[in-house]
Amino acid sequence: MKKYLLLLFSFCMLLLLPNIGSYLRTGALPEGYGLFPAQQVKGVPPFHQPYFVICAAVAVAIVIFLLFPNLFGFKKTTKPPSTAKVVGMGYPKWFYPSLVVTLVSWFLMWARLEIFEPLDHFTFVPLWWGFIMVLDGFVYKRNNGKSLASVRPNTLKLLAVVSCFSWFVFEYQNFFVLGNWYYPNNEILTNFGNISWQLLSYTTVLPAIFNWYFLLRTFPAMDTRYSNGPVIRIGNTGQYIFFGIALVLMVLMAYFPYELFWMLWVSLIPLFVPVMIIGKYWNPFTEIGRRGDYSYVILIAIATLINGFFWEFWNFGSEWIHDIPPTNPNYWKYSVPYLDKYHIFSEMPILGYFGYLLFGICCWVLWLLVAYLLDFDYRISLSGKEDA
């Protein structure tokens, strides 16, 4: 009971502490608080070269770690022989229909032909669910017929439901960093329409990144690349220290919303993971302490980064090829302090993509938190293991 209450307490602090930070800063809630979808907040600081250089140095260090794990104590390992591949294993029955849905939705979103109005308003959900099932089909073919849809269909549904509500955690935190992203097309639908449509849209987040995760797992070189690293064990005292730091950071994020905006993507990890470790709940960091297996943490991060390119690509394209504003109510733009420069092909500044790495870990942690609080099966493994 005690460990359950600690989980519940940590979630309550997530909701409470940013409010305290905001009141300490201005004596009020932040500008734009409660507006949904979030709208642009004026006065965001412009590009700042020294801040950019510091963040770029961190990004370069991350890239070096991912490309050359051996420099950080990781050893090569080979995956033990698995069950022989099924000869002639094809794509599942949902693969080709899903591919058609994806391509048609993509066309409608970008073409925005008058004859199809207002279908172009509602392409985001079929585009992404079609894409999710296409990814699932790739996993199915490469993994001897084992994928989320084929092995864990109920888990896939639960992922969608939890995803629907867990994204609001990030929308909530976004208020306190004064709108790092916002949705300019908030008048296409009614208020009720915006809320209900965005809820449906958010069901796609967790299923998409976990399908990328499992697809990465089907490549032996990726499956084992980060599985034999240094074992790091931190006792309960250290975990309470990390938890205490997280509580402070939740306040500081709202007190310094521009300087510490990136804490939105960091704070959930030291807020929830330590209490999971203290309570002996499995989480992606558990395997680091057991056997130096970082693959859970790193592969979900890489999976989310890859998926992030598709998020940004389809979002940007819905505006880029036209001279008039996009008609996609899901369309978003960024208002990132100090770093909003050097774009590749999207609204996202180049350093912003590194936030996806942490976002993926946070998504898994949130999934686990909800599973442990509501007492349902947290496992997403396709192999029947106790962990994921």
Side-chain angles (χ1 to χ4, degrees):
M1 186 64 179
K2 180 180 178 181
K3 62 181 185 179
Y4 177 90
L5 291 176
L6 191 56
L7 282 176
L8 186 60
F9 174 76
S10 64
F11 182 73
C12 291
M13 291 301 98
L14 165 69
L15 302 178
L16 174 63
L17 294 179
N19 289 274
I20 294 175
S22 181
Y23 271 101
L24 290 175
R25 176 175 176 264
T26 64
L29 291 171
E31 181 183 352
Y33 181 87
L35 291 178
F36 184 81
Q39 297 303 293
Q40 185 177 19
V41 175
K42 304 297 183 182
V44 176
F47 178 77
H48 189 259
Q49 189 71 38
Y51 196 98
F52 178 86
V53 169
I54 293 171
C55 292
V58 175
V60 168
I62 293 173
V63 171
I64 292 173
F65 171 74
L66 293 177
L67 293 179
F68 308 103
N70 58 298
L71 298 178
F72 300 86
F74 284 76
K75 299 177 182 178
K76 286 187 177 180
T77 185
T78 56
K79 188 174 183 179
S82 57
T83 304
K85 294 290 182 182
V86 177
V87 177
M89 172 64 71
Y91 292 105
K93 59 185 178 181
W94 57 83
F95 178 81
Y96 290 106
S98 299
L99 183 60
V100 171
V101 170
T102 302
L103 294 175
V104 170
S105 301
W106 182 1
F107 172 77
L108 291 176
M109 177 184 283
W110 281 21
R112 289 158 55 188
L113 300 176
E114 186 174 347
I115 190 174
F116 292 117
E117 288 186 356
L119 290 179
D120 56 348
H121 297 177
F122 305 101
T123 51
F124 185 93
V125 173
L127 171 64
W128 273 98
W129 269 109
F131 186 56
I132 287 165
M133 299 311 293
V134 167
L135 288 173
D136 191 273
F138 282 124
V139 175
Y140 179 97
K141 180 175 174 58
R142 292 184 53 84
N143 199 37
N144 287 346
K146 294 180 180 179
S147 69
L148 279 173
S150 65
V151 175
R152 289 189 173 273
N154 290 332
T155 299
L156 181 58
K157 296 172 188 175
L158 273 173
L159 281 168
V161 173
V162 174
S163 177
C164 172
F165 294 99
S166 65
W167 175 250
F168 276 99
V169 170
F170 299 99
E171 293 285 354
Y172 176 73
Q173 288 189 300
N174 189 38
F175 290 136
F176 296 99
V177 295
L178 303 182
N180 280 190
W181 65 89
Y182 61 96
Y183 305 86
N185 295 342
N186 66 313
E187 295 183 357
I188 290 178
L189 304 176
T190 63
N191 286 339
F192 177 79
N194 276 320
I195 293 173
S196 56
W197 178 248
Q198 295 289 1
L199 273 171
L200 190 60
S201 301
Y202 297 157
T203 63
T204 64
V205 177
L206 292 185
I209 64 176
F210 275 114
N211 264 311
W212 276 112
Y213 168 81
F214 284 121
L215 186 58
L216 290 177
R217 285 284 193 186
T218 66
F219 295 90
M222 287 300 296
D223 192 34
T224 60
R225 183 177 180 82
Y226 307 103
S227 64
N228 192 9
V231 174
I232 299 176
R233 295 189 180 96
I234 300 174
N236 282 359
T237 300
Q239 300 299 341
Y240 278 114
I241 291 173
F242 278 120
F243 181 62
I245 292 173
L247 297 180
V248 174
L249 290 177
M250 295 300 294
V251 176
L252 293 180
M253 178 185 73
Y255 192 82
F256 299 104
Y258 295 131
E259 294 82 357
L260 298 181
F261 73 91
W262 46 270
M263 286 308 309
L264 187 156
W265 310 113
V266 177
S267 58
L268 296 189
I269 298 172
L271 183 66
F272 295 138
V273 171
V275 298
M276 290 181 185
I277 293 175
I278 292 168
K280 301 188 184 306
Y281 292 104
W282 188 92
N283 66 85
F285 293 86
T286 299
E287 303 306 317
I288 296 176
R290 282 182 184 172
R291 47 197 169 95
D293 187 351
Y294 293 69
S295 60
Y296 297 89
V297 173
I298 296 177
L299 292 185
I300 194 65
I302 295 175
T304 310
L305 175 61
I306 295 171
N307 198 66
F309 281 101
F310 286 89
W311 273 321
E312 302 300 338
F313 172 68
W314 279 322
N315 180 65
F316 182 65
S318 67
E319 176 191 40
W320 175 64
I321 59 177
H322 297 275
D323 294 327
I324 58 176
T327 57
N328 170 18
N330 298 87
Y331 177 73
W332 65 88
K333 294 177 72 71
Y334 291 98
S335 183
V336 182
Y338 307 127
L339 302 179
D340 199 2
K341 195 172 183 179
Y342 307 119
H343 298 245
I344 302 175
F345 65 85
S346 66
E347 298 289 351
M348 173 74 84
I350 187 169
L351 289 185
Y353 282 99
F354 287 87
Y356 276 120
L357 295 169
L358 291 166
F359 172 57
I361 302 170
C362 290
C363 284
W364 199 338
V365 170
L366 277 171
W367 159 259
L368 292 170
L369 180 74
V370 175
Y372 296 142
L373 289 177
L374 299 183
D375 194 27
F376 62 78
D377 190 353
Y378 70 91
R379 295 171 298 172
I380 60 169
S381 172
L382 304 181
S383 60
K385 294 180 181 178
E386 285 303 311
D387 55 52

